[in-house]
Amino acid sequence: MMEILDYFKLPEKAQITQRVYTKDIVAALDATGSDKVLIEKSISTIHLVGILNETTTGLWAYRDNTYLYEEVQLFLIALKDATRAKQLNENIQKVFPNPIIVIYKNGNEYMLSTAMKRLNKVEKGKSVIDSIQTSGWFKLDPLHNELLSKINYQKKNIKEFYESIDYLISAEYVAKVTGQVPESIDFMIKTKSLAIQQLLEEKNKWILQEQEESSMQGKMQCHMKIKEIEQKLEVLKQ
């Protein structure tokens, strides 16, 4: 059975195993209070497992006045508490000015994340996050095997490679809802993925409200809302 890192087909030169300590993440963020507790409570171990640059991939770096994609770092983070994984991820993505790919592991389930970043025109050496993309939690089943197998380095440059991972992560939601990997995984998949994520979040809220409702009328209203959302999801499956 393939391990999660196998799907990234890391060139030998790109492979590394370097421990990153939680205390260093806390210090880099200057995290205090609830953010510090979140990091320390959630993370078991962090390892830098891949460095993707011109030397290790053969892909050109990408530089212009807005973007700098010279190197992508790949991290594997094992969690001991995944309750607030997405909030944790926002903090992790802020730590590194370079674009990073994060693989979160919780038992036998995984979540992937990217963050499209641009240069900070005010503070040199820092970046600004345009958008953060996360997958849902998934197991390495046949559907996700097919999806992750699409990772490849046949790209023009490092930015294009990173974007392809960002699109693939977006496609994870689509694949999970439709039961099949999308034929085309490009920028347009992000719009469809976002619509699906919003509907799923809305559905979960109505499910929770239905469980809390004491009256039959209240439960029926929640049930109808859930059915409406399911119909919208069916349309997006097409």
Side-chain angles (χ1 to χ4, degrees), residues 7-113:
Y7 292 97
F8 284 86
K9 308 175 186 72
L10 292 172
E12 188 174 349
K13 290 181 180 180
Q15 297 172 24
I16 184 174
T17 304
Q18 180 178 317
R19 180 77 181 268
V20 179
Y21 292 93
T22 305
K23 64 179 182 180
D24 295 328
I25 298 293
V26 170
L29 277 170
D30 196 20
T32 57
S34 59
D35 284 338
K36 183 175 184 290
V37 171
L38 174 63
I39 293 166
E40 294 175 341
K41 181 183 176 182
S42 302
I43 296 174
S44 177
T45 59
I46 307 175
H47 286 92
L48 173 63
V49 293
I51 296 178
L52 303 168
N53 53 35
E54 287 184 333
T55 302
T56 62
T57 66
L59 297 175
W60 292 106
Y62 183 93
R63 310 174 187 89
D64 63 19
N65 292 331
T66 304
Y67 298 103
L68 178 61
Y69 280 73
E70 292 181 325
E71 181 174 284
V72 172
Q73 297 171 337
L74 177 63
F75 290 89
L76 178 61
I77 301 182
L79 300 181
K80 51 188 175 184
D81 184 350
T83 307
R84 299 169 66 195
K86 289 193 175 182
Q87 186 175 343
L88 170 70
N89 180 59
E90 290 177 5
N91 285 316
I92 295 297
Q93 290 287 359
K94 290 176 185 176
V95 173
F96 303 95
N98 284 340
I100 64 172
I101 302 167
V102 188
I103 305 169
Y104 292 95
K105 186 178 189 298
N106 182 41
N108 65 344
E109 292 190 319
Y110 300 91
M111 182 177 82
L112 304 179
S113 174

Side-chain angles (χ1 to χ4, degrees), residues 1 108-110 137-145 148:
M1 182 177 178
N108 65 344
E109 292 190 319
Y110 300 91
W137 287 102
F138 63 87
K139 296 180 181 179
L140 297 179
D141 54 23
L143 177 67
H144 288 87
N145 172 63
L148 294 171

